[in-house]
């Protein structure tokens, strides 16, 4: 009984982390039609930058949460620069965008290796969340429960932003029909920068939040990127609900697959993607784009 | 000569290698309505797209109230007071009726002597939209979607309104409603280009007529003159 409960909590925790990572990826793809292959790198950069601040690697130390916010803001600014000075030069050219974002991800990986070396960096659990919570007969790490709570809060905040503000309506209009959005006077290029920076910041935030359970190591980017792709393909690009449901689904499939069928873990993980692509290519909650 | 609200001068435009507009010139006078007629594929919608900046003219000039806008983006042209009611309506389907209007809101230009369009005045013109304010636009009927597309364009407080086949796919009764709205807009002093396939709809409301044929301007005339010239209409529109 305990085994299943713990596996379930781990799945939801991992789903929550994936949501933080994939919601930005999905928004960027939905609005800008850019398959941003730097997303895994942004996650890893966030983890390295945040982790370094937490352990005082650069000569100054901050508490975990401030470090997480600072890492997210730094990477968001980097995302805005990538969008403005590189991707904006390649409008509508998806092959070039894929190649450029892939190239940046290689450069980021090399940069991280140069600055932080090849050894994994462990990030300590934030103060006060190192213990366990006893619920019913089961014991759960407090930090994992905190990640679930953070993912829910971010999901609600994103939902409020997208669904209850004029900026959110403008972003959704841009996802619906970018040309018409421009015709009604929406400066879609500005929205692109905002959304790209938001997505980058969220990915970095996910990176540092995930640090205490995943640790930070070279190759973390390439481990996370396919999972974000998986979430977006299953949930549907541009859909917040799709990202949420897709993340939780992938969280469950990943954890249960690893625990029950370890030799088939990747088969189990990517089979739903194959089925969705065959039966509902726009994803569970995505809109069909002709 | 009165000021021209929108003017195309010797415009050539292409879709890929396809040369769709050839040396097109016409002008829309201020506070006038120009009917743009032509068969399918004559280049009517392309003219609208060039006017709105969705398709760049490869040669020639487009100007709005005397200011050249040829190389400007759609959002910059919108900021100069041009709005488009596009063919097929293209409302934002995943937004509510209210959101469709809110995202298009733009303050009128300084010095404008018209009462500004707001959500309330748009709802005043289209009470049916008010009843469906929180409904997803995708779930509206064709007529309601057309009203929303017109309302959305008006929210930008335009000085020039480009309307691309607003009667397309609507029941006759709804077409009559839409045409009554267009008449009101004209009376309010808006400069309007009305693209239509059906000349009779346009003749009733337009001041001037331009007929396009295979990507070029074939006729510049008035409704009164054209009503008398069945042969010309048959030649260029294949009707009557």
């Amino acid at each position: 009984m305990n085994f299943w409960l713990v596996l379930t909590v781990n799945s939801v925790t991992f789903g929550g982390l994936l949501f933080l990572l994939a919601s930005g990826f999905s928004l960027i793809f939905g609005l800008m039609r850019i398959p941003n292959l730097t997303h895994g790198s942004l996650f890893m950069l966030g983890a390295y930058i945040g982790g370094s601040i937490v352990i005082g690697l650069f000569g100054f130390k901050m508490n975990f949460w401030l470090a997480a916010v600072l890492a997210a803001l730094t990477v968001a600014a980097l995302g805005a620069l990538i969008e403005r000075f590189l991707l904006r030069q390649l409008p509508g050219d998806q092959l070039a965008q894929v190649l450029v974002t892939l190239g940046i991800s290689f450069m980021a990986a090399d940069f991280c290796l140069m600055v932080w070396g090849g050894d994994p960096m462990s990030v300590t659990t934030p103060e006060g969340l190192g213990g366990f919570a006893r619920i019913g007969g089961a014991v759960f790490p407090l930090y994992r429960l905190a990640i679930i709570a953070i993912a829910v809060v971010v999901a609600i905040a994103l939902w409020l932003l997208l669904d209850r503000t004029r900026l959110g309506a403008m972003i959704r209009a841009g996802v619906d029909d970018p040309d018409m959005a421009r015709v009604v006077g929406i400066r879609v290029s500005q929205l692109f920068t905002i959304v790209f920076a938001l997505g980058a910041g969220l990915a970095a935030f996910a990176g540092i939040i995930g640090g205490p359970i995943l640790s930070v190591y070279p190759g973390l980017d390439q481990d996370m990127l396919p999972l974000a792709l998986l979430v977006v393909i299953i949930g549907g690009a541009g859909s917040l609900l799709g990202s949420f449901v897709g993340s939780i689904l992938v969280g469950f499939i990943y954890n249960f697959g690893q625990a029950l069928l370890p030799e088939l873990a990747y088969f189990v993980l990517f089979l739903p993607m194959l089925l969705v692509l065959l039966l509902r290519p726009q994803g569970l909650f995505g809109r069909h784009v002709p | 000569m009165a000021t021209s609200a929108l003017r195309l001068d010797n415009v050539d435009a292409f879709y890929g290698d396809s040369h769709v507009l050839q040396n097109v010139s016409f002008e829309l006078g201020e506070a006038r309505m120009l009917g743009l007629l032509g068969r399918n594929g004559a280049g009517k919608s392309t003219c609208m797209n060039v006017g709105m900046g969705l398709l760049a003219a490869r040669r020639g000039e487009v100007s709005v109230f005397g200011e050249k806008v040829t190389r400007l983006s759609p959002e910059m042209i919108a900021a100069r007071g041009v709005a488009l009611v596009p063919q097929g309506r293209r409302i934002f389907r995943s937004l509510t009726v209210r959101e469709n209007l809110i995202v298009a809101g733009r303050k009128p230009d300084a010095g404008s002597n018209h009462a500004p369009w707001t959500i309330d005045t748009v709802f005043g013109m289209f009470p049916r939209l008010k009843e469906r304010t929180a409904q997803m636009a995708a779930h509206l009927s064709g007529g309601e979607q057309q009203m929303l597309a017109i309302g959305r364009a008006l929210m930008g407080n335009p000085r020039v309104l480009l309307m691309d086949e607003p009667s397309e796919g609507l029941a006759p009764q709804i077409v009559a409603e839409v045409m009554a709205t267009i008449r009101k807009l004209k009376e309010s002093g808006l400069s309007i280009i009305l693209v239509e396939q059906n000349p009779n709809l346009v003749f009733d409301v337009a001041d001037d007529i331009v007929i396009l044929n295979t990507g070029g301007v074939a006729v510049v005339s008035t409704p009164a003159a054209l009503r008398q010239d069945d042969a010309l209409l048959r030649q260029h529109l294949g009707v009557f």
Side-chain angles (χ1 to χ4, degrees), chain A residues 262-277:
Chain A
E263 63 281 10
L264 289 176
Y266 273 88
F267 180 82
V268 173
L269 191 58
F270 286 95
L271 184 65
M273 179 183 94
L274 202 66
L275 291 176
V276 167
L277 282 176

Side-chain angles (χ1 to χ4, degrees), chain A:
Chain A
M1 177 65 189
N2 259 357
F3 169 75
W4 297 110
L5 256 178
V6 169
L7 203 54
T8 301
V9 169
N10 284 350
S11 303
V12 179
T13 305
F14 195 60
L17 263 185
L18 281 181
F19 171 75
L20 294 177
L21 174 68
S23 52
F25 187 89
S26 170
L27 265 182
I28 290 169
F29 190 73
L31 177 67
M32 304 162 74
R33 311 274 183 259
I34 291 179
N36 176 27
L37 299 189
T38 59
H39 221 72
S41 314
L42 300 171
F43 179 92
M44 183 169 72
L45 267 177
Y48 269 125
I49 294 172
S52 302
I53 298 173
V54 171
I55 60 176
L57 199 66
F58 300 137
F60 63 99
K61 239 175 154 170
M62 277 185 192
N63 95 12
F64 183 88
W65 302 109
L66 282 176
V69 171
L70 191 62
L73 289 177
T74 308
V75 176
L78 177 70
L81 292 175
I82 292 174
E83 193 283 324
R84 236 185 144 78
F85 294 108
L86 290 172
L87 298 174
R88 193 172 292 186
Q89 313 304 320
L90 311 162
D93 189 347
Q94 281 201 335
L95 180 61
Q97 290 164 353
V98 165
L99 292 175
V100 164
T101 54
L102 186 64
I104 298 172
S105 76
F106 290 148
M107 289 164 71
D110 247 11
F111 175 78
C112 291
L113 200 59
M114 183 183 78
V115 175
W116 288 282
D119 295 330
M121 175 197 284
S122 57
V123 182
T124 45
T125 307
E127 224 172 288
L129 292 174
F132 293 87
R134 193 173 290 279
I135 303 173
V139 175
F140 301 104
L142 265 180
Y143 187 63
R144 285 182 183 264
L145 299 179
I147 289 180
I148 298 172
I150 290 168
V152 169
V153 168
V154 170
I156 292 171
L158 276 179
W159 173 73
L160 287 174
L161 170 74
L162 287 174
D163 228 66
R164 290 286 181 269
T165 65
R166 183 164 187 253
L167 175 67
M170 286 158 88
I171 291 172
R172 283 182 289 131
V175 173
D176 252 15
D177 189 336
D179 277 345
M180 267 320 291
R182 300 176 74 200
V183 163
V184 303
I186 297 172
R187 295 173 71 177
V188 176
S189 59
Q190 239 176 32
L191 287 186
F192 281 7
T193 310
I194 292 171
V195 166
F196 206 92
L198 178 69
L202 276 173
F205 187 66
I208 176 65
I209 295 292
I213 54 174
L214 299 173
S215 86
V216 194
Y217 53 91
L220 178 62
D221 51 344
Q222 298 308 322
D223 285 349
M224 296 309 287
L225 179 67
L227 297 174
L229 277 168
L230 203 56
V231 168
V232 173
I233 290 170
I234 292 177
S239 161
L240 189 64
L241 181 63
S243 297
F244 193 80
V245 174
S247 299
I248 300 296
L249 265 176
V250 172
F252 269 90
I253 297 167
Y254 183 82
N255 277 282
F256 276 71
Q258 296 265 7
L260 303 178
L261 293 165
E263 63 281 10
L264 289 176
Y266 273 88
F267 180 82
V268 173
L269 191 58
F270 286 95
L271 184 65
M273 179 183 94
L274 202 66
L275 291 176
V276 167
L277 282 176
L278 282 173
L279 303 173
R280 198 177 156 80
Q282 71 270 38
L284 297 178
F285 296 92
R287 201 164 65 77
H288 178 65
V289 180

Side-chain angles (χ1 to χ4, degrees), chain A residues 172 176-177 180 182, chain B residues 75 90 93-94 99 152:
Chain A
R172 283 182 289 131
D176 252 15
D177 189 336
M180 267 320 291
R182 300 176 74 200
Chain B
E75 55 269 41
R90 293 176 68 176
R93 297 172 60 81
S94 64
E99 286 171 338
R152 181 180 64 180

Side-chain angles (χ1 to χ4, degrees), chain B residues 51-149:
Chain B
M52 196 67 235
L54 282 168
L55 179 69
R58 206 174 282 183
R59 206 174 63 84
E61 293 289 354
V62 182
S63 47
V64 173
F65 288 100
E67 182 187 359
K68 286 192 172 52
V69 298
T70 321
R71 305 278 169 260
L72 297 188
S73 61
E75 55 269 41
M76 291 171 91
I77 292 178
R80 279 155 181 76
V82 183
L84 172 69
V85 179
Q87 189 175 23
R89 309 185 261 277
R90 293 176 68 176
I91 45 145
F92 301 119
R93 297 172 60 81
S94 64
L95 271 61
T96 63
V97 167
R98 191 180 183 82
E99 286 171 338
N100 261 277
L101 298 174
I102 284 173
V103 295
R106 190 182 75 91
K107 290 197 177 102
D109 298 315
S112 165
N113 47 7
H114 296 290
W117 286 97
T118 61
I119 287 206
D120 290 333
T121 51
V122 169
F123 282 159
M125 177 165 263
F126 302 113
R128 238 180 309 168
L129 291 183
K130 189 176 184 182
E131 293 165 20
R132 288 161 177 53
T133 178
Q135 198 167 321
M136 282 293 164
H139 301 147
L140 298 178
S141 69
E144 289 161 352
Q145 289 191 8
Q146 190 57 266
M147 291 170 195
L148 183 58

Side-chain angles (χ1 to χ4, degrees), chain B residues 24-38:
Chain B
V24 168
S25 300
F26 63 78
E27 68 176 319
L28 163 70
E30 188 173 2
R32 291 182 74 82
M33 184 185 292
L34 177 106
L36 193 57
L37 297 170

